[in-house]
Amino acid sequence: MENFKLENMELSPLDRAKRHVTFQHRGASGWITLAKKEPDGGWRQYHYQPNELAVELPKWLGEDVYFSQNTFYKPQRRIENIRQLRALYVDVDCHTIGYEPEWVVGKLDIEVFHDNILPEPNLIIFSGRGIVCVWLIEPVPYKALPLWKVVENYFYEQLSYVGADKKSLDPTRVFRIDGSVNSKSKKEVVVEYRHGDRYVLRDLQYEYLPELTRAETGKKGRKGKLVRLHNIQTLHYARLLDLIRLAELRNYDLKGYRELFCFLYRYWSCCLTDDPDEALKQMIELNAGFKEPLSEKEVIRATKSAEKAWMAKNDAKANEEARKKGYPGAGYNLKNSTIIRWLDITPEEQRHLQTIIDANEKRRRKRERDRARTGELRRGQGAKTREEYLEEQRERTEDKAWQLQKAMERHPDATNKQLAMMLQISVRRVQQLKRLVKN
C-alpha cells in the first residue's frame, strides 16, 4: 500500500483521475457516466463520450465523485442501454464487519488470488472505507449480460466472507474515482494498479464456471444452480428489452398501461441488478420519459409490490411455501399470455419482440425458419434461387432468338416447321422467338 501511495503523491488529483478513467476506458465505445453526490444529498450525473472525459474531469473533482464501469448506447445510465460490458467488480464493505482495507487486501492475496480461487484483479480501489476489486474484460455487447451477471455473482460469492456487497453487482454501477475524497471518512480515494491485461469473459466462464460450460455443450445431467440462474437471467433481460421495445413502438404513449409498464420494469430490473434502490431509480427515469408520466409518488406506490415480490424470490422460506402450492418458486412467474393480455400486445407488435410472443407468432417464426432452411438445403444441393433461374431462362431465350435469326438469314424461304426442326424446338416457340427478333 505504501509504495503506490507514494507514487500517487507525485501526481495531482486531476492527473490521477485521468489515469484511472483512461486505464479502464481506453478504446471504449458509447457514453460514460460521471456522477457526484451533492452535500444536500442530491445526485448529479452527466454522460460523456470517451474523448470528452479529459476535458470534463476538472469540473467534477472533489468530494464523492464516481464514474461508470461500463458504457451506454444513450446518455442514460439504465440497464437496457448497456453498450459495452468492460469490467467485472466486487465492492467489499469491509468496514461493516470491522476489517481494515489493507488487511483485507493482504488476506485476499493469500487466500483467493494466490490460490487462483479468482484471478488477480487489474486494480483495487481504496474507496475511503472499503475496497473495490476490478477485473477488466475484453468488451462484450449487451447480449452477453446474462453470462456477465452469472460470472459477476460468482466473483461476489467468493468474496462474501470479507464483506462483499451484493447490491453493487448491477452493470450500471458507478464507483469512486482516484483522487476524489470520500466525504464520510474524509479520506482520499486511492487506486492500486496491478496489471493491464484484459480477461476474456468466456475464458473466465470455462475456467471458473465449468458447470455452465458443460450445460452449453449439451452434456446431460441435472441443471445446477449456475445454469438455472443463467437461464433465468437471460429470460428476465430479454423480457425487459422487449418491454422497452414495446414502449418505443408505441412512442412512449402508454396511458392506460403506465403502472403495468413500470411494475414489470421494476420487478425485472430488481431481478437483474439485485439492487432495489437502483432498480427504483431507473424505473422512475423510465416513467419520466412517458408522454404523460405518472407522478413520482404515484408510480412508486403503484409498483411497490414488484420489490416485495423480488424480496420473496430471494427468501428460502417464501420459495419453499410457493413450491408447496405448486408454483415454481416465489416472486412473479408470469406467462407470456399473461403479459400479452395485460399490455394488449398485438400480433404486429409481437413481430418486433424477442420473447414476449404467443403460440401463433412462434409458429410463424418456425415456418420462416423452415423455409429458410429448405432454401439453404436446396441451394446446397445445387438448386437455384428464383433470380438465378430467371436470369438463366433469359439468357437461353436470347441465345435461341440469335440462332433463329441466323437460320432465317441462311434459309430465307424456310417455313416455321422447317425452322423448328433445324433448332429442335416447337413451331409455337419459333413463332414466339420471331416476335422477339422483329422487335
Side-chain angles (χ1 to χ4, degrees), residues 38-171:
E38 301 290 7
D40 62 1
W43 182 259
R44 176 167 64 95
Q45 65 179 24
Y46 206 79
H47 314 276
Y48 300 99
Q49 291 291 321
N51 59 358
E52 298 174 327
L53 285 173
V55 176
E56 299 297 334
L57 271 171
K59 304 173 186 176
W60 289 84
L61 274 194
E63 288 190 342
D64 302 325
V65 183
Y66 306 75
F67 76 109
S68 61
Q69 308 299 290
N70 298 311
T71 64
F72 305 91
Y73 276 108
K74 301 177 182 179
Q76 294 175 328
R77 189 172 61 90
R78 296 217 306 263
I79 193 168
E80 70 271 19
N81 295 330
I82 291 291
R83 181 178 180 85
Q84 287 185 331
L85 294 160
R86 303 179 56 84
L88 296 156
Y89 35 78
V90 178
D91 184 7
V92 180
D93 289 335
C94 47
H95 69 279
T96 61
I97 51 179
Y99 293 163
E100 288 295 321
E102 292 81 1
W103 182 85
V104 170
V105 170
K107 183 177 179 66
L108 294 178
D109 278 335
I110 296 170
E111 299 175 356
V112 178
F113 307 139
H114 182 269
D115 290 340
N116 201 34
I117 304 299
L118 290 179
E120 185 175 21
N122 292 81
L123 56 95
I124 298 176
I125 304 170
F126 287 79
S127 59
R129 297 203 299 176
I131 62 170
V132 183
C133 297
V134 180
W135 295 263
L136 302 183
I137 59 174
E138 292 292 337
V140 291
Y142 72 93
K143 288 186 178 180
L145 191 142
L147 173 60
W148 178 93
K149 183 64 176 174
V150 172
V151 178
E152 176 83 349
N153 283 341
Y154 177 81
F155 277 35
Y156 153 76
E157 288 172 357
Q158 308 315 306
L159 302 188
S160 60
Y161 78 110
V162 288
D165 180 9
K166 192 173 184 180
K167 290 184 178 180
S168 66
L169 307 180
D170 65 279

Side-chain angles (χ1 to χ4, degrees), residues 121-367:
N122 292 81
L123 56 95
I124 298 176
I125 304 170
F126 287 79
S127 59
R129 297 203 299 176
I131 62 170
V132 183
C133 297
V134 180
W135 295 263
L136 302 183
I137 59 174
E138 292 292 337
V140 291
Y142 72 93
K143 288 186 178 180
L145 191 142
L147 173 60
W148 178 93
K149 183 64 176 174
V150 172
V151 178
E152 176 83 349
N153 283 341
Y154 177 81
F155 277 35
Y156 153 76
E157 288 172 357
Q158 308 315 306
L159 302 188
S160 60
Y161 78 110
V162 288
D165 180 9
K166 192 173 184 180
K167 290 184 178 180
S168 66
L169 307 180
D170 65 279
T172 64
R173 183 60 48 176
V174 293
F175 288 119
R176 294 179 185 273
I177 194 167
D178 195 3
S180 62
V181 175
N182 186 322
S183 63
K184 293 179 180 178
S185 65
K186 301 302 178 184
K187 291 183 179 179
E188 195 173 53
V189 177
V190 179
V191 172
E192 176 186 353
Y193 298 89
R194 295 202 162 189
H195 67 92
D197 297 329
R198 286 184 174 270
Y199 295 98
V200 176
L201 188 61
R202 280 290 182 187
D203 289 347
L204 294 174
Q205 173 201 334
Y206 296 148
E207 185 168 357
Y208 296 98
L209 286 76
E211 175 189 324
L212 187 58
T213 303
R214 285 194 297 271
E216 288 186 345
T217 55
K219 292 188 177 180
K220 295 181 179 180
R222 185 179 177 183
K223 293 180 180 179
K225 176 184 174 182
L226 283 175
V227 179
R228 291 195 299 273
L229 177 61
H230 181 257
N231 292 342
I232 292 170
Q233 296 281 4
T234 301
L235 177 62
H236 286 156
Y237 191 48
R239 283 183 163 179
L240 186 140
L241 293 179
D242 274 355
L243 193 69
I244 297 301
R245 180 63 180 136
L246 185 60
E248 291 171 349
L249 290 171
R250 298 181 181 183
N251 296 314
Y252 287 90
D253 186 0
L254 302 171
K255 193 170 183 179
Y257 303 94
R258 293 170 296 181
E259 293 91 343
L260 284 168
F261 265 81
C262 290
F263 165 79
L264 291 171
Y265 185 95
R266 187 173 179 181
Y267 178 67
W268 289 330
S269 188
C270 277
C271 293
L272 287 165
T273 64
D274 290 316
D275 184 346
D277 295 334
E278 186 61 35
L280 177 59
K281 289 177 187 175
Q282 295 189 26
M283 185 269 293
I284 291 172
E285 187 176 339
L286 172 70
N287 172 67
F290 294 166
K291 279 193 173 179
E292 296 183 45
L294 299 165
S295 70
E296 187 171 311
K297 185 177 181 180
E298 184 180 2
V299 75
I300 292 173
R301 184 180 67 250
T303 61
K304 191 173 182 180
S305 59
E307 184 175 316
K308 289 182 178 179
W310 170 78
M311 292 175 68
K313 187 179 181 68
N314 290 276
D315 182 84
K317 186 176 180 181
N319 275 289
E320 184 181 346
E321 291 176 356
R323 281 190 284 269
K324 285 180 181 177
K325 296 177 181 178
Y327 298 108
Y332 290 108
N333 302 288
L334 298 172
K335 295 179 180 179
N336 278 352
S337 57
T338 302
I339 301 169
I340 290 168
R341 186 178 71 254
W342 282 0
L343 301 177
D344 291 322
I345 304 175
T346 67
E348 178 57 33
E349 287 173 331
Q350 289 177 47
R351 288 186 172 220
H352 301 277
L353 306 183
Q354 180 182 347
T355 188
I356 305 177
I357 57 176
D358 61 18
N360 290 331
E361 176 62 15
K362 286 180 182 178
R363 284 192 289 268
R364 187 193 70 80
R365 294 185 186 187
K366 184 178 186 302
R367 286 195 299 271

